[in-house]
Amino acid sequence: MFGDLFEEDYSSVSNNQYGKGKKLKAKPLEPPAPREFTNLSGLRNQGGTCYLNSLLQTLHFTPEFREALFSLGPEELGSLEDKDKPDAKVRIIPLQLQRLFAQLLLLDQGAASTADLTGSFGWTSNEEMRQHDVQELNRILFSALETSLVGTSGHDLINRLYHGTVVNQIVCKECKNISEKQEDFLDLTVAVKNVSGLEDALWNMYVEEEVFDCDNLYHCGTCDQLVKATKSAKLRKLPPFLTVSLLRFNFDFVKCERYKETSCYTFPLQINLKPFCEQSELNDLDYVYDLFSVIIHKGGCYGGHYHVYIKDVDHLGNWQFQEPDMNLKALQNEEDIDDPLTILKAVLLQENNLIPVDQLGQKLLKKIGISWNKKYKKQHGPLRKFLQLHSQTFLLSPDGSTVSLQKQPSPQTESDFQGNGQQILQMLAAKSPGSNDNTTRPHWFDINDSKVQPIKEKDIEQQFQGKESAYMLFYRKSQLQRPPEARANPRYGVPCHLLEEMDEANMELHMKRTECDSANNNIELHLHMGPHYHFFNGALHPVSCQTESVWDLTFDKRKTLGDLQQSIFQLLEFWEGDMVLSVAKHVPAGLHIYQTLDGDELTLCEVGIADGEDIFVWNGVEVGGVRIPVGVHCEPLLLRVLHLETGSDGKRRGQLVESPHVFPASAEVGTVLTALAIPEGVILTRSGRSAGEESWTPVPQEDMRRTFREHGLKDGSSVLVRDSYSDDSSLLPQGGKWITGTNEIDWLEVKNLCQLESEEKQVKISATVNTVVFDIRIKAIEELKLMKELVENSCLRPIDRNGKLLCPVPDSSTLKEAEVKLRSSLGLCLGKAPTSSQLFLLFALGSDIQPGTEMEVIVEETLSVRDCLKIMLEKSGLPGDAWHLRKMDWCYEAGEPLCEEDATLKELMICSGDTLLLIEGKLPSPGFLKVPIWWHQPQGPSGRWESEDQPHGSPAQGGSWRAASTQGVPGHVPAEVSLLYLGDIDIAEDATLVDLKSQARSLPPASKLAVPGPALLRAWTVENKRPGRLLRADRRELKEYKLGRTAAICLEPLQREERLGPLDVLLRTQMRVPGQRAYAPAVDLVWDTARGSSAGALRQTVADSYALPVEKTEIAKYFPEKFEWLPISSWNQQITKKKKKKKQDNLQGAPYYLKDGDTIGVKNLLVDDDEDFSTIRDDIGKEKLKQMALGKRHSREALQAQNSDIFSSTGTPTRPRGPEASLSIHVGSFR
């Protein structure tokens, strides 16, 4: 990451470079890891699919759902091999779901991939990285499955397992007439706010009655009058599997923000639903349900993480809840437990005296509940080494794969120990919670993406409240019994073709793991042959070329040193005498031996031999007749020795020279004088005096016998030698220390960016941290052979790692003062550098700037904001004074405006390198707002403006039409919103909305539009060039709306005065034209959510508005920024009746988030049964979005390529954007 921290050329000492440039061994792609001790498989997270993983695991652990899906064969669903054939009807989603379930059951991998399944959904990488709501996914996935299974024997799969009904009744207290309405549900959505738990919520919904009396009477059709009545709801039909969605997310209408309800909300492990159902003759046990899955959400309302607690009904997993720490504490006082010899002997006797070494540790963990590494390794070493050291007790096979006990001296001794060992293991088993009989206890697991671990049933209580709490509950009827053959049998119910596919996949995985295991255990060793080396200048060096002296050997690290030695013998044709293997390492001085390897029976892994290790092969004593020092204490050090140059006459000159010398780390410091043939002298070492400063400290005479290591010297350290008789004036004593004028020499790279031709494009300039920038610039101009005129009109600018030019460096600064790092790059550019009292600023026009479009300016830091604005306007050629400045923040967006125009840049803490943005519009006075006013009028059937006072399509004076063209598109379609700019108004923050409307009517363009009075004007904020938030309550002050300084308002004319309540939602409904992909003009619809905010309530309101039967009405929400329609499913009908209380929100939450101004498409199923809601304009818009995305990608690539050509680096990073998007699953038609 950081490159070579110390890199020098030591060619004068050693030409041996084989220690550098080693190639990394390319490891094979590792296969997925096998399942862990739970024997269950998780699901890999694709980036944001934890919500999907949690729901899929719940469906997988619903055996009835899984087996019903498995019962559908290829003759009904088709085959995945035929999915690309044009005429084949392949139901990809259920096929991929089958395959995923088979992998979760049978494939030996720790986590399965959902990529194929999400691919069948039609999802791209963007959807896989974006998190959605799991309750929303549950409904959409069931809808997709129902559509996919049309025409098969599984067409009623979802309906049969999850469908239930609720009946709403109103009873007249006069004639006792009962009015009923039945509604279907696939999941029950229950309230969390102000409710203690699930049973309390169900009681409020299905037991309490709502009374109609006093001012709220009910009109009875039988009595034909307003009467007192009671309204209630009951569960009429219960499904085999009950899904409960908890309304954890709510909206605070005071703060205008969403929040998560984290209060305590209890739910039982078993629930009796009889009190909430209609009276029937069913057995009481038919109403009892058991909890088997809890999907948990951790985080807030804008993001978080999902995982799931699941009950393993079929006992497919290994549920052993181990607590090693408790075992360790319980066994600390047992003398036999502390003796590993006793424990291992007992385990071997119980396992018939023979066991693979790899399995011995697992058996030990299973018997005593604690691993060897945790209990014994610190004191007794690795398990294999312990067995080898106790060869009188344990007998290892020749290949070291199995272990058994040596024969005991007498049968009586063996019998006694066997009985004692059995007693010890029984005592351990009794204390190990993992070894208890778990067959009757419920098996619960926490499945968190790819991680699966057992939990206790009582752990569910921790999810009652908090930021990490239950979000969805899944219950199953207690009477549902599983067949005995399904217990602990993952192959039960799996089709034969999937069994064969999984068996083949497991065989392939086994082969890949074997190959990968072999590859991972093979290491590369570099064998240095002693006869081909000689000892020179304190280190080993090859006699001839490297190829003859160094051999590369691939070896299994699980084999022993004896095996390695035997392999080397076989490679060599001849070796005389003993062979000793030693670990060597490359140092700047050459090759040095650090450690001799002993213990032929130890494996390379136990000895600590790493991949790429250098092994020196020799006799262990000498090389070429020279005894070789071994060990870290005598490591050769390559030092930089600075001393006065010696002339041809033997006299020392005044110039300092540097020469490399090698000394053993254990040698005395005084040997430096001997090496330089100086009889007497002073040795100085470099030390840090303070941050960024260095000094030379003399070595006292009494410390001259201390070693280099004791003085803290290492490779690359500098030593300064001063002759005692020298009168060198460059070395002056200061405060007892010797300060030198010489610094560590380094370099800077200067690139020619002056747009002038030269022979060199870049040069390296020698420099130190104390070098002045002016000197570097002058030297760069000379070496680049540029014109001398550049001396007065050029500057140096640092180049960052992205290739961007930073602000110029002042000529008078040193590199240290300018914070320029050595070995970095500078650009030589035209223009003078700023002085210490000047600022170098970047500025750009508008808030949406593109990288590389900024302009530059140098100004005095005492300049006022007003004067700075004038300079920038003049340089950019912009007329007028209706502009202001904003500072760009850290995320490349326009920040707060610089309101104090008389303040200096220094006072506002504007620094060199900051970017200022020129924004059109003069800033208002304090306490006032400058609000742009736009005119918005709905379009007619032709897509044009309808105005009596103005010709169609002609712009008003002072403004411009912003209408999207609709030529070539038949009929009226949801188009881009057309806004007409009327002008800006200055208005006080404490003015009311009525005042704003009145002042807007006085704008000149408004007089030509016949703008009505304030009571007939509807006000919206402008967001993304379309109406955004509806502003209600005309008498409310503007500051209460929290508009901000950049808000814009658009006004819409009304035919009559409207009074919207706080819970009313203003929607634009459009009826689809039968037989055409077009819509009739939009009609305003006021939806009173106080009467219900569910899909059923909205559908009823729309049906009443268009006088249509509610069952023949289909509705969908339009997302104009994506040109997509999202059908509003009938499954979103929520029954949340509470006495004297308002109903809970539904469509105002995920995934629809209905708000004022949303467009609702309406379809009459009596005359139009087409499932498609889209229009031709949507197709065109999607294609434009696709082309825009492609164009932006090409622009980024071109910019990166351009920066790469100029600066040899990547482009400037762009701002990340993550718009909120709805969730959808694309399904083919199988009708």
Side-chain angles (χ1 to χ4, degrees):
M1 178 183 292
F2 300 103
D4 294 330
L5 296 179
F6 182 79
E7 182 180 0
E8 287 292 341
D9 182 14
Y10 297 110
S11 55
S12 59
V13 180
S14 171
N15 293 323
N16 178 20
Q17 298 295 325
Y18 45 72
K20 299 183 181 180
K22 292 183 180 178
K23 294 182 179 179
L24 294 175
K25 183 174 67 173
K27 293 186 177 181
L29 185 63
E30 294 191 5
R35 302 190 180 203
E36 297 183 356
F37 71 96
T38 59
N39 199 35
L40 295 178
S41 176
L43 291 171
R44 287 194 287 273
N45 194 327
Q46 298 187 53
T49 56
C50 56
Y51 68 103
L52 173 67
N53 293 347
S54 300
L55 181 60
L56 290 176
Q57 290 284 13
T58 299
L59 297 178
H60 167 245
F61 280 94
T62 308
E64 292 78 4
F65 177 87
R66 183 182 68 225
E67 290 162 10
L69 194 64
F70 279 149
S71 67
L72 304 174
E75 63 279 359
E76 292 188 276
L77 302 181
S79 175
L80 289 174
E81 288 76 12
D82 301 332
K83 64 179 181 180
D84 296 327
K85 295 181 180 179
D87 299 331
K89 280 197 173 183
V90 181
R91 306 170 193 266
I92 301 179
I93 293 179
L95 283 172
Q96 291 291 4
L97 202 54
Q98 279 186 346
R99 193 164 177 268
L100 179 63
F101 285 168
Q103 291 175 350
L104 291 173
L105 288 170
L106 300 171
L107 198 58
D108 184 21
Q109 59 181 3
S113 172
T114 58
D116 291 338
L117 180 64
T118 55
S120 70
F121 292 168
W123 291 2
T124 63
S125 58
N126 291 333
E127 271 110 6
E128 291 158 356
M129 293 295 294
R130 186 182 293 122
Q131 189 180 103
H132 290 280
D133 184 77
V134 70
Q135 297 176 5
E136 171 192 7
L137 173 69
N138 184 54
R139 297 164 188 146
I140 293 177
L141 179 59
F142 278 2
S143 174
L145 280 174
E146 273 198 327
T147 305
S148 298
L149 297 177
V150 169
T152 69
S153 58
H155 66 279
D156 62 342
L157 170 62
I158 303 300
N159 187 70
R160 177 162 36 93
L161 296 180
Y162 296 95
H163 177 263
T165 57
V166 171
V167 59
N168 296 294
Q169 295 181 341
I170 299 180
V171 181
C172 175
K173 289 192 175 182
E174 298 294 333
C175 64
K176 307 302 180 185
N177 179 60
I178 300 176
S179 175
E180 284 189 357
K181 182 180 180 182
Q182 182 173 296
E183 294 181 344
D184 303 329
F185 71 86
L186 290 176
D187 65 309
L188 293 179
T189 300
V190 298
V192 173
K193 186 178 180 181
N194 300 326
V195 182
S196 62
L198 177 61
E199 292 171 306
D200 184 24
L202 293 176
W203 184 271
N204 293 337
M205 293 167 64
Y206 302 118
V207 176
E208 289 190 358
E209 295 180 340
E210 183 177 356
V211 179
F212 296 100
D213 57 7
C214 301
D215 295 335
N216 186 28
L217 296 175
Y218 168 72
H219 183 273
C220 177
T222 305
C223 302
D224 196 20
Q225 60 179 347
L226 295 174
V227 296
K228 295 182 179 180
T230 59
K231 183 179 180 181
S232 63
K234 290 289 184 182
L235 296 170
R236 172 165 287 179
K237 175 194 171 186
L238 292 175
F241 297 92
L242 181 65
T243 303
V244 181
S245 299
L246 306 183
L247 281 175
R248 286 277 183 192
F249 300 117
N250 287 313
F251 189 83
D252 189 332
F253 287 96
V254 177
K255 297 181 179 179
C256 292
E257 63 183 14
R258 298 173 63 202
Y259 69 95
K260 181 177 180 181
E261 187 66 54
T262 58
S263 58
C264 183
Y265 190 90
T266 62
F267 47 88
L269 297 173
Q270 188 178 77
I271 187 171
N272 189 340
L273 297 178
K274 188 173 183 179
F276 316 117
C277 298
E278 280 188 320
Q279 297 298 324
S280 66
E281 299 177 356
L282 293 177
N283 191 333
D284 288 352
L285 294 178
D286 289 332
Y287 299 100
V288 180
Y289 282 74
D290 293 327
L291 182 71
F292 77 96
S293 176
V294 182
I295 293 182
I296 299 157
H297 180 264
K298 179 181 181 181
C301 57
Y302 296 106
H305 179 67
Y306 290 95
H307 63 108
V308 61
Y309 286 179
I310 286 184
K311 182 179 179 181
D312 184 9
V313 179
D314 282 346
H315 288 205
L316 300 175
N318 179 25
W319 191 82
Q320 289 188 355
F321 197 84
Q322 299 171 350
E323 298 177 274
D325 293 335
M326 294 178 60
N327 290 333
L328 181 61
K329 185 177 180 180
L331 302 176
Q332 278 178 346
N333 298 326
E334 303 290 343
E335 294 183 1
D336 291 330
I337 306 307
D338 290 332
D339 182 15
L341 197 63
T342 305
I343 296 297
L344 291 176
K345 288 165 69 176
V347 172
L348 283 168
L349 285 172
Q350 201 174 57
E351 297 293 330
N352 298 324
N353 197 22
L354 182 66
I355 188 174
V357 177
D358 295 338
Q359 296 183 14
L360 183 58
Q362 300 176 7
K363 296 291 183 182
L364 182 69
L365 173 64
K366 187 175 181 181
K367 299 293 183 185
I368 69 174
I370 188 170
S371 65
W372 173 275
N373 290 343
K374 197 160 191 177
K375 177 67 178 174
Y376 304 112
K377 184 178 180 180
K378 186 175 182 180
Q379 182 178 357
H380 300 282
L383 177 58
R384 186 184 295 273
K385 185 176 181 180
F386 181 83
L387 297 174
Q388 293 170 344
L389 293 175
H390 294 80
S391 57
Q392 71 279 6
T393 305
F394 305 104
L395 178 62
L396 285 167
S397 61
D399 59 354
S401 60
T402 60
V403 62
S404 60
L405 288 173
Q406 297 277 15
K407 292 185 178 180
Q408 297 293 335
S410 65
Q412 180 65 32
T413 305
E414 181 177 352
S415 176
D416 292 345
F417 178 79
Q418 187 168 2
N420 187 32
Q422 294 290 345
Q423 184 178 0
I424 292 173
L425 291 178
Q426 288 175 5
M427 182 268 293
L428 289 173
K431 292 187 177 184
S432 175
S435 58
N436 293 337
D437 181 19
N438 298 318
T439 56
T440 59
R441 301 173 64 182
H443 293 189
W444 282 86
F445 292 91
D446 177 12
I447 305 182
N448 192 343
D449 288 337
S450 57
K451 185 178 180 182
V452 183
Q453 60 183 8
I455 60 171
K456 294 181 178 178
E457 198 171 51
K458 64 179 182 181
D459 293 337
I460 300 175
E461 298 176 3
Q462 299 175 5
Q463 308 303 331
F464 284 168
Q465 61 185 347
K467 288 190 175 181
E468 182 177 7
S469 50
Y471 190 55
M472 285 189 78
L473 309 175
F474 296 84
Y475 286 87
R476 56 182 288 126
K477 276 193 175 182
S478 299
Q479 284 194 331
L480 292 175
Q481 299 296 325
R482 298 291 296 149
E485 56 270 21
R487 190 179 183 86
N489 180 14
R491 301 177 72 88
Y492 179 79
V494 182
C496 294
H497 68 281
L498 287 176
L499 288 174
E500 295 175 359
E501 181 183 346
M502 294 304 110
D503 290 342
E504 292 177 1
N506 278 325
M507 291 179 61
E508 185 179 352
L509 274 176
H510 178 71
M511 292 176 58
K512 287 183 178 179
R513 287 184 183 128
T514 304
E515 296 172 359
C516 188
D517 182 62
S518 175
N520 287 339
N521 285 293
N522 286 341
I523 58 176
E524 294 288 340
L525 299 178
H526 306 297
L527 304 179
H528 301 263
M529 300 304 168
H532 296 278
Y533 276 78
H534 71 287
F535 190 76
F536 168 72
N537 205 7
L540 292 164
H541 302 271
V543 176
S544 56
C545 63
Q546 177 183 349
T547 55
E548 295 181 5
S549 58
V550 183
W551 294 6
D552 292 332
L553 175 65
T554 302
F555 201 73
D556 192 337
K557 64 182 179 181
R558 295 170 294 185
K559 292 186 177 182
T560 63
L561 282 174
D563 298 332
L564 175 60
Q565 203 171 44
Q566 188 65 32
S567 298
I568 296 174
F569 270 122
Q570 295 174 2
L571 288 173
L572 298 173
E573 297 178 359
F574 175 75
W575 184 271
E576 183 179 357
D578 296 334
M579 177 183 286
V580 176
L581 305 181
S582 300
V583 176
K585 290 184 180 179
H586 292 283
V587 293
L591 189 70
H592 180 68
I593 301 175
Y594 283 86
Q595 175 191 1
T596 297
L597 300 175
D598 297 321
D600 290 347
E601 73 283 356
L602 299 179
T603 65
L604 269 63
C605 189
E606 291 171 340
V607 175
I609 301 298
D611 188 24
E613 197 81 74
D614 292 289
I615 305 296
F616 196 73
V617 184
W618 61 316
N619 59 14
V621 180
E622 51 85 22
V623 172
V626 180
R627 193 174 185 87
I628 304 301
V630 178
V632 68
H633 64 283
C634 55
E635 176 184 19
L637 299 179
L638 181 60
L639 303 180
R640 298 169 171 172
V641 180
L642 289 88
H643 57 92
L644 292 176
E645 182 182 11
T646 303
S648 57
D649 55 357
K651 295 183 179 181
R652 304 194 181 275
R653 306 185 183 275
Q655 185 175 359
L656 277 174
V657 295
E658 176 185 315
S659 60
H661 287 266
V662 178
F663 302 94
S666 57
E668 298 176 359
V669 174
T671 57
V672 175
L673 298 177
T674 305
L676 296 177
I678 299 177
E680 292 185 18
V682 179
I683 300 177
L684 301 96
T685 59
R686 179 174 289 180
S687 61
R689 186 170 52 176
S690 62
E693 297 185 17
E694 293 178 336
S695 63
W696 293 97
T697 304
V699 178
Q701 191 64 35
E702 60 271 14
D703 291 341
M704 294 289 281
R705 302 185 64 86
R706 295 178 63 189
T707 65
F708 290 97
R709 184 77 69 190
E710 290 172 339
H711 279 282
L713 298 176
K714 54 187 178 181
D715 279 312
S717 295
S718 297
V719 174
L720 178 64
V721 178
R722 181 178 181 272
D723 193 337
S724 297
Y725 305 104
S726 173
D727 58 351
D728 178 24
S729 60
S730 66
L731 300 175
L732 302 175
Q734 294 185 6
K737 296 186 179 180
W738 295 81
I739 309 301
T740 178
T742 60
N743 291 344
E744 182 178 357
I745 303 299
D746 222 311
W747 51 266
L748 284 171
E749 185 179 62
V750 180
K751 300 182 179 182
N752 178 17
L753 302 180
C754 292
Q755 300 177 351
L756 298 176
E757 294 184 0
S758 66
E759 297 179 3
E760 301 290 339
K761 293 186 177 180
Q762 58 190 33
V763 293
K764 283 189 177 180
I765 306 296
S766 299
T768 68
V769 294
N770 294 321
T771 305
V772 180
V773 174
F774 176 78
D775 297 336
I776 297 175
R777 184 166 63 87
I778 298 302
K779 193 169 184 180
I781 293 174
E782 293 176 355
E783 296 195 10
L784 288 170
K785 299 178 181 178
L786 297 172
M787 297 182 298
K788 293 184 178 181
E789 288 78 3
L790 285 177
V791 174
E792 301 296 330
N793 189 32
S794 63
C795 62
L796 291 178
R797 298 179 62 176
I799 303 173
D800 67 7
R801 64 180 60 186
N802 294 320
K804 181 180 179 181
L805 282 172
L806 305 181
C807 60
V809 182
D811 276 347
S812 59
S813 303
T814 63
L815 296 182
K816 178 182 174 182
E817 293 170 346
E819 299 181 354
V820 175
K821 295 182 179 179
L822 294 173
R823 302 192 180 188
S824 62
S825 296
L826 297 174
L828 181 64
C829 306
L830 293 174
K832 292 184 178 180
T835 63
S836 57
S837 63
Q838 291 179 327
L839 298 177
F840 177 84
L841 301 177
L842 301 171
F843 68 98
L845 178 63
S847 57
D848 190 15
I849 65 173
Q850 298 297 325
T853 60
E854 303 97 332
M855 291 175 279
E856 302 166 354
V857 66
I858 296 178
V859 296
E860 296 291 334
E861 62 181 5
T862 56
L863 195 70
S864 67
V865 173
R866 180 182 288 103
D867 294 336
C868 181
L869 175 61
K870 290 180 180 178
I871 292 175
M872 291 180 176
L873 288 174
E874 182 179 351
K875 189 164 185 178
S876 56
L878 295 175
D881 57 352
W883 298 86
H884 67 276
L885 289 176
R886 292 176 183 264
K887 182 179 177 181
M888 190 169 71
D889 59 18
W890 62 274
C891 54
Y892 301 96
E893 294 181 350
E896 286 297 316
L898 305 182
C899 299
E900 303 177 30
E901 293 186 340
D902 294 326
T904 65
L905 299 177
K906 185 177 181 180
E907 292 172 345
L908 296 179
M909 302 180 69
I910 304 297
C911 305
S912 284
D914 286 348
T915 301
L916 300 182
L917 302 178
L918 284 168
I919 306 297
E920 190 173 4
K922 197 172 181 66
L923 289 175
S925 304
F928 281 79
L929 295 174
K930 190 177 188 66
V931 183
I933 303 297
W934 296 78
W935 181 254
H936 166 58
Q937 183 166 346
Q939 297 176 345
S942 63
R944 298 180 177 178
W945 290 87
E946 291 185 343
S947 175
E948 297 179 359
D949 300 290
Q950 185 176 330
H952 295 305
S954 62
Q957 185 178 359
S960 61
W961 292 110
R962 304 283 180 93
S965 174
T966 58
Q967 295 179 359
V969 182
H972 184 78
V973 294
E976 287 293 325
V977 176
S978 300
L979 297 176
L980 172 66
Y981 176 64
L982 299 181
D984 294 344
I985 62 172
D986 293 325
I987 190 168
E989 291 181 337
D990 54 1
T992 63
L993 186 59
V994 172
D995 299 332
L996 182 142
K997 294 178 181 179
S998 300
Q999 193 168 340
R1001 295 179 69 241
S1002 63
L1003 292 171
S1007 61
K1008 298 184 178 182
L1009 291 172
V1011 176
L1016 296 179
L1017 286 177
R1018 184 186 288 157
W1020 305 80
T1021 60
V1022 178
E1023 299 173 4
N1024 297 324
K1025 300 179 181 179
R1026 65 178 65 250
R1029 177 160 58 103
L1030 178 62
L1031 303 182
R1032 305 164 186 255
D1034 282 350
R1035 299 299 174 184
R1036 198 175 178 184
E1037 293 183 353
L1038 296 179
K1039 60 184 177 183
E1040 297 179 26
Y1041 293 108
K1042 299 179 181 179
L1043 297 176
R1045 291 185 172 270
T1046 58
I1049 302 295
C1050 72
L1051 301 177
E1052 177 187 357
L1054 300 175
Q1055 297 297 327
R1056 58 181 178 275
E1057 186 176 349
E1058 68 177 4
R1059 296 187 180 275
L1060 297 176
L1063 296 181
D1064 289 341
V1065 178
L1066 179 66
L1067 302 174
R1068 317 272 197 188
T1069 60
Q1070 291 186 271
M1071 176 63 72
R1072 187 173 176 88
V1073 180
Q1076 300 182 32
R1077 297 182 65 193
Y1079 287 86
V1083 177
D1084 288 348
L1085 175 69
V1086 178
W1087 177 33
D1088 184 5
T1089 59
R1091 298 183 179 180
S1093 58
S1094 65
L1098 177 59
R1099 179 179 283 103
Q1100 185 67 56
T1101 304
V1102 173
D1104 294 344
S1105 174
Y1106 285 94
L1108 295 174
V1110 66
E1111 65 274 7
K1112 296 299 181 181
T1113 304
E1114 193 71 26
I1115 56 177
K1117 179 188 172 180
Y1118 186 56
F1119 291 87
E1121 67 279 356
K1122 296 177 63 178
F1123 297 95
E1124 290 183 355
W1125 295 86
L1126 180 60
I1128 299 177
S1129 172
S1130 60
W1131 294 349
N1132 291 72
Q1133 299 181 41
Q1134 314 297 329
I1135 313 303
T1136 56
K1137 308 293 187 299
K1138 295 180 66 177
K1139 183 178 180 180
K1140 298 290 185 180
K1141 293 183 180 179
K1142 298 178 181 179
K1143 303 171 187 178
Q1144 299 293 322
D1145 293 338
N1146 181 15
L1147 293 184
Q1148 291 173 305
Y1152 303 100
Y1153 300 108
L1154 280 186
K1155 62 184 185 304
D1156 293 316
D1158 282 346
T1159 299
I1160 301 295
V1162 184
K1163 190 184 297 182
N1164 183 359
L1165 298 182
L1166 293 173
V1167 295
D1168 186 2
D1169 58 354
D1170 185 10
E1171 296 182 356
D1172 186 24
F1173 273 88
S1174 65
T1175 66
I1176 298 176
R1177 182 180 207 88
D1178 296 332
D1179 297 340
I1180 299 173
K1182 288 181 180 179
E1183 184 62 28
K1184 286 184 179 179
L1185 290 178
K1186 184 178 179 181
Q1187 295 300 327
M1188 287 173 59
L1190 192 63
K1192 287 182 179 179
R1193 189 180 73 180
H1194 290 162
S1195 299
R1196 288 195 299 267
E1197 292 174 353
L1199 181 62
Q1200 291 174 357
Q1202 179 182 357
N1203 288 340
S1204 178
D1205 293 338
I1206 299 176
F1207 303 115
S1208 301
S1209 63
T1210 58
T1212 305
T1214 56
R1215 285 172 278 177
R1217 297 187 183 273
E1220 186 174 295
S1222 59
L1223 177 66
S1224 62
I1225 295 178
H1226 305 284
V1227 189
S1229 177
F1230 301 102
R1231 297 186 183 274

